[in-house]
Amino acid sequence: MYDSVLLPTDGSQASERALEYAIDLAQQYDAALHVMYVIDKAVFAGDVETGTIVTQFEQVGQSVLEEVETEATRAGIETTITHLGRGSPHEAILKYTEEEDIDVVVMGTRGRTGLDRYLLGSVTEKVVRLSDVPVLTVRHSERADSESTQEE
């Protein structure tokens, strides 16, 4: 059913939860796992790149991609493809999905509600609304995180 699974990630806890689902799908369908980190265009001042800041974002992005790739390899995923992109995150994700013929996108969500959600918007929400392929959203559970912290 799925030959390629895309996990857009920002290294957050919500993305880490989504990674579990992305790995599970890739294992079940023997699919390639694509992992993408997008440096938001807000980092750039117009067409001028502010060298040090951009370099730092690239280093963070590359580190996140390497961590996810290591985790996927440990889980037995045979093919993991990483991509460091730039631009508007939802636009970059949708473009990559189309160009790489992705079958399903797996994304984390923070579960914002009300005015916060309306004002801030959400990369995940935009991808869900505009994607031509299925998007599996994985809700970040702060309650589960606090319970696991209390157990430690």
Side-chain angles (χ1 to χ4, degrees):
M1 182 176 224
Y2 301 124
D3 293 322
S4 56
V5 175
L6 173 60
L7 173 74
T9 184
D10 60 4
S12 67
Q13 289 180 335
S15 292
E16 288 176 17
R17 277 198 34 90
L19 172 61
E20 297 170 26
Y21 286 82
I23 285 175
D24 187 54
L25 280 174
Q27 287 172 330
Q28 284 184 25
Y29 294 101
D30 195 27
L33 177 62
H34 294 249
V35 185
M36 180 177 196
Y37 184 98
V38 179
I39 301 171
D40 197 318
K41 67 181 180 182
V43 172
F44 309 102
D47 292 332
V48 179
E49 296 185 15
T50 53
T52 306
I53 295 171
V54 173
T55 301
Q56 289 174 345
F57 274 97
E58 288 174 343
Q59 289 171 346
V60 168
Q62 198 57 47
S63 176
V64 168
L65 291 172
E66 288 170 7
E67 288 174 22
V68 172
E69 184 174 26
T70 299
E71 188 70 26
T73 300
R74 272 192 227 134
I77 304 301
E78 290 185 29
T79 305
T80 303
I81 300 159
T82 61
H83 177 74
L84 183 64
R86 292 182 177 188
S88 171
H90 79 279
E91 291 174 357
I93 293 165
L94 293 168
K95 182 178 178 183
Y96 186 88
T97 299
E98 185 177 327
E99 289 176 351
E100 297 299 320
D101 199 25
I102 299 297
D103 297 313
V104 63
V105 179
V106 180
M107 297 182 72
T109 179
R110 290 204 179 272
R112 288 189 181 113
T113 59
L115 187 59
D116 186 33
R117 179 175 167 201
Y118 177 75
L119 292 175
L120 295 176
S122 161
V123 172
T124 302
E125 187 175 348
K126 289 174 186 172
V127 171
V128 167
R129 279 191 279 120
L130 299 171
S131 178
D132 290 332
V133 301
V135 179
L136 171 63
T137 60
V138 180
R139 187 173 182 146
H140 171 64
S141 172
E142 291 180 23
R143 191 180 86 215
D145 288 343
S146 67
E147 288 172 4
S148 67
T149 303
Q150 290 173 359
E151 290 174 8
E152 293 175 356

